[in-house]
Amino acid sequence: MILLLGLFFAVPLLMAFSFAFRPFDAKTLVGEDLTLQNFGRFLFDGFYLTAFVRTTLISLSVTILSVVLGYPVAWHLRSVQSSRLRTWLVLVVLMPLMLSLVIASFAWMIILGSNGVLANLIASVTLLQQPLRLLNTDLGIVIVTVYSFMSYSVLSIYAALENIDPSLARAASIHGANDRQVFLHVIWPLSIPGVVSGALVVFALSMAAFVVPYLIGGGRVKVIPLLIYNFTIQLFDWPGAAALSLLLFLLTLVLTWLIATLGSRLARWEAE
Amino acid sequence: MRVLSYLVYIALLLPIVFVLGASLTAGGYIRFPPDGLSFRWYVAMWNDPDMMKGLVISFNIALITTGVSVVIGTMAALYLFRLNARYRQIMASLFLSPLSVPMVLTGFAMLVLFTQFGLVNVTGLVISHVVVTVPYMLRTVMTSLSLTDPFVPRAAAILGAGPWRVFWHVTMPILKPGMLAGAMFTFLASFNNITISVFISSPGASPLPVVIFNRMENLAEPSAAAAATAVILLTAVGILVLERHFSLFKSLLGSTR
């Protein structure tokens, strides 16, 4: 196991990172010298900075939506009495994990397309003159990314809810708390760790997603993972891809740390 | 609360309905609702050498990856379980580290390594799939282990069972649910993987998701939908069979704890 991870995980990562410090060479692709100019290329260019901001904003919206939609689902799953029905519903929740991202995106392209069902539905409900454009937009990417990663938040919140001792809620209601108070003061504070860990997984996955932006965004919505893919596969600029990857990795680490810290602050604050 | 949950369930099922519908169209391009019903795109898929080859490659890779992952993941879990609590924590987070590195980065790094050693082929795909799926395997097996009394194997040994006997008759049955859940997850993750595969597949060795991915640049013909439907149906049948025999979801839900 150590050998496997060392040889096929640590070594390639280190090699990739080392490329970040080499210049791009049109002939050999990767030059010999050591340089920092790859980072300068991206850090002092408005285009890439916007892409970093856009990646972060999309990932944050995906994370928030996954939790906001995932919480009721986890709650509902827990309250379902029949174990048969629950098995089926769990199967539905896990569905996105069993579908290839390509296939899911493909399906959503049909749904979100300009003559798609959803666009027409929204147009008829909101009385918009023109059908809303979803394909090739940030909103479309958010919708499909939420679809593909929501399972993680549901599972994590479900596990947290399951772990709460039911006698705590009972004790609170015996002492005169109504359902809303029980939820707000007992269940919700105790479920925060599950919410945060689910959110962290979804956030980290969204920050690295390039398949959905590529297919749903039609390559028009520039996010960092997509640019890394383009640099690698289409431009063969591996040093550039390596530098971008390193920057994205660091940004993700900082932001996940921030979310985790905020989460535990919230949990402590709620507990008081 | 309930209404919202059911709306989410419907949204989660929506794509399957659409893929299925689009694959059955009699018309020349992707459409929902379909232009009349026919199986012509399934025939087209069957006669499409790239797609069928991709399907076979995907299946083989997923099968080998699962086999390797099960062995390595189980061994690693057993090893971790014997360490004391502090080392276990450190080693476990080390072993699970591939989960916290962005997939694009892993894919790119693999490409960098494998071009150097001429492994941009099926072997490379298997190796990289093992690296990203072994952590899941490890986690589900660890869950199975932690749910049982650690003294049971020792009790068997004290009662006179040899090490192999203890392993096959005591440890293995304990690990089975975790191994099965992990194996299913690994198989699906490998079979459906695109994020890593797209970096290290070469024209002769492209798994099915990569084949579909490459065709979608110009919105694919319905045979891609047919292939997608075939994959979905195979997956669903496989899962239902496993669920019936081993009540998989119990162990899968347990794994998040």
Side-chain angles (χ1 to χ4, degrees):
Chain A
M1 180 80 188
I2 293 175
L3 197 72
L4 173 93
L5 284 184
L7 213 59
F8 295 115
F9 187 64
V11 171
L13 276 184
L14 289 177
M15 276 173 79
F17 284 151
S18 77
F19 277 19
F21 299 96
R22 308 221 178 253
F24 175 61
D25 188 306
K27 270 208 204 87
T28 56
L29 297 184
V30 182
E32 290 290 318
D33 322 329
L34 285 176
T35 172
L36 281 175
Q37 75 183 46
N38 288 318
F39 297 103
R41 254 160 84 194
F42 302 123
L43 287 177
F44 302 111
D45 186 328
F47 173 76
Y48 293 102
L49 291 179
T50 324
F52 271 111
V53 172
R54 174 174 286 138
T55 311
T56 312
L57 288 181
I58 289 182
S59 303
L60 280 178
S61 340
V62 168
T63 310
I64 293 168
L65 275 174
S66 299
V67 169
V68 169
L69 292 174
Y71 206 103
V73 173
W75 183 266
H76 176 252
L77 270 184
R78 203 185 65 126
S79 67
V80 168
Q81 298 294 322
S82 134
S83 72
R84 237 195 122 103
L85 178 62
R86 188 186 304 147
T87 306
W88 281 103
L89 292 178
V90 170
L91 186 66
V92 171
V93 168
L94 293 178
M95 212 69 221
L97 299 186
M98 299 170 191
L99 277 187
S100 178
L101 263 182
V102 180
I103 293 172
S105 310
F106 180 64
W108 281 100
M109 281 164 80
I110 309 172
I111 301 174
L112 300 177
S114 53
N115 287 316
V117 181
L118 193 65
N120 287 332
L121 188 77
I122 293 177
S124 62
V125 170
T126 56
L127 300 172
L128 279 173
Q129 289 303 313
Q130 282 205 318
L132 184 65
R133 275 184 68 83
L134 288 170
L135 216 53
N136 301 340
T137 62
D138 293 18
L139 182 62
I141 293 177
V142 169
I143 293 174
V144 182
T145 314
V146 168
Y147 168 83
S148 34
F149 299 140
M150 211 182 93
S151 316
Y152 294 104
S153 65
V154 174
L155 285 183
S156 155
I157 297 169
Y158 177 80
L161 289 175
E162 276 290 273
N163 279 342
I164 296 173
D165 189 345
S167 55
L168 286 175
R170 216 178 313 134
S173 55
I174 288 170
H175 285 89
N178 60 28
D179 283 356
R180 226 184 111 238
Q181 288 171 322
V182 170
F183 178 78
L184 278 180
H185 299 292
V186 181
I187 309 280
W188 163 244
L190 288 172
S191 65
I192 290 177
V195 171
V196 172
S197 71
L200 286 178
V201 174
V202 173
F203 181 76
L205 287 171
S206 314
M207 285 294 280
F210 69 92
V211 175
V212 171
Y214 183 83
L215 295 174
I216 300 294
R220 247 155 284 182
V221 179
K222 304 285 183 211
V223 290
I224 296 297
L226 185 61
L227 293 172
I228 297 176
Y229 174 76
N230 286 341
F231 270 93
T232 316
I233 302 288
Q234 282 154 7
L235 304 175
F236 291 105
D237 180 354
W238 287 8
L244 268 183
S245 307
L246 192 57
L247 290 173
L248 178 71
F249 186 42
L250 292 177
L251 180 66
T252 312
L253 279 184
V254 170
L255 290 173
T256 41
W257 174 80
L258 209 68
I259 296 176
T261 318
L262 283 177
S264 60
R265 280 269 172 79
L266 181 69
R268 229 180 302 147
W269 181 74
E270 287 277 2
E272 273 160 18
Chain B
M1 223 47 158
R2 259 204 31 220
V3 178
L4 182 60
S5 304
Y6 274 100
L7 280 177
V8 173
Y9 295 136
I10 291 171
L12 290 175
L13 286 176
L14 209 58
I16 294 170
V17 177
F18 273 78
V19 172
L20 189 73
S23 73
L24 289 171
T25 184
Y29 49 97
I30 298 262
R31 206 48 198 281
F32 193 94
D35 289 341
L37 295 176
S38 89
F39 281 105
R40 61 181 276 211
W41 293 109
Y42 286 86
V43 178
M45 176 194 92
W46 188 259
N47 291 326
D48 186 327
D50 284 347
M51 278 207 185
M52 290 318 279
K53 200 177 166 210
L55 187 64
V56 173
I57 291 177
S58 283
F59 192 79
N60 287 338
I61 291 176
L63 214 58
I64 303 172
T65 302
T66 310
V68 177
S69 273
V70 167
V71 175
I72 297 182
T74 310
M75 273 166 31
L78 286 172
Y79 164 73
L80 281 184
F81 212 67
R82 277 190 313 190
L83 297 175
N84 67 41
R86 216 177 75 219
Y87 279 113
R88 194 192 299 169
Q89 198 78 49
I90 297 169
M91 291 307 276
S93 52
L94 192 70
F95 285 178
L96 295 176
S97 60
L99 293 183
S100 47
V101 174
M103 279 273 211
V104 232
L105 178 48
T106 317
F108 170 64
M110 293 289 181
L111 176 68
V112 169
L113 178 80
F114 290 158
T115 29
Q116 213 104 128
F117 295 102
L119 275 173
V120 186
N121 52 27
V122 174
T123 318
L125 282 168
V126 169
I127 295 174
S128 54
H129 283 190
V130 168
V131 169
V132 291
T133 53
V134 139
Y136 291 105
M137 198 66 225
L138 180 71
R139 210 143 69 171
T140 48
V141 176
M142 289 275 282
T143 319
S144 289
L145 272 175
S146 63
L147 289 177
T148 45
D149 188 340
F151 294 106
V152 175
R154 202 181 292 172
I158 291 169
L159 289 171
W164 276 109
R165 222 179 129 101
V166 172
F167 184 74
W168 283 113
H169 292 277
V170 182
T171 315
M172 278 297 268
I174 291 175
L175 297 180
K176 209 167 124 194
M179 284 168 79
L180 274 170
M184 184 201 81
F185 200 86
T186 303
F187 187 89
L188 286 177
S190 164
F191 193 80
N192 289 328
N193 186 289
I194 173 76
T195 337
I196 304 274
S197 300
V198 80
F199 281 100
I200 39 181
S201 58
S202 43
S206 299
L208 187 59
V210 178
V211 175
I212 301 179
F213 182 79
N214 286 333
R215 297 224 181 147
M216 275 168 61
E217 291 179 45
N218 35 9
L219 190 70
E221 59 270 28
S223 59
T229 312
V231 171
I232 294 170
L233 289 180
L234 283 175
T235 313
V237 170
I239 290 168
L240 286 179
V241 169
L242 281 175
E243 162 66 18
R244 182 131 307 170
H245 285 275
F246 306 110
S247 56
L248 215 77
F249 291 113
K250 219 172 269 170
S251 22
L252 215 61
L253 275 181
S255 73
T256 58
R257 228 156 278 173

